[in-house]
Amino acid sequence: FRNLVEKNTNGVTSSKEGIDGLLEQGRSYMLQPNQTPEAQHKMVYDTLGGLMTPVLPPFYRIFMSGIIPKVGIDSLDNKQIGPW
């Protein structure tokens, strides 16, 4: 994930490890001079998009929305098991 953030921020890095380093990376990128909300949204979109694979979106939907897609089991199809 950190490598994707670095790639999508044109090389912004942090020497700190873990979440502290990730936060520093994000902060450094977001607070650059002449930064725009559109560029910030594109960076987040591109970074999260880089995590997706062809098989991930259905699972992402389950975990983020709590709705099980049609899986062929009447008791589970389109059932909402969230929100968390």
Side-chain angles (χ1 to χ4, degrees):
F1 185 76
R2 295 278 298 273
N3 291 333
L4 278 173
V5 172
E6 181 178 348
K7 176 184 168 191
N8 291 315
T9 58
N10 296 319
V12 174
T13 63
S14 170
S15 59
K16 294 181 182 177
E17 293 187 16
I19 190 70
D20 290 331
L22 179 60
L23 291 172
E24 184 173 83
Q25 261 181 293
R27 192 176 308 113
S28 295
Y29 175 74
M30 298 292 186
L31 298 176
Q32 289 176 340
N34 302 317
Q35 189 60 267
T36 65
E38 292 80 16
Q40 293 171 347
H41 291 162
K42 182 173 178 1
M43 183 278 290
V44 171
Y45 181 86
D46 291 346
T47 300
L48 293 178
L51 295 174
M52 298 290 176
T53 66
V55 296
L56 186 59
F59 296 105
Y60 184 78
R61 180 179 181 213
I62 292 170
F63 292 116
M64 295 307 290
S65 69
I67 299 172
I68 300 173
K70 186 169 183 160
V71 292
I73 302 171
D74 289 338
S75 63
L76 293 177
D77 285 350
N78 297 312
K79 181 179 179 185
Q80 183 164 359
I81 57 173
W84 319 118

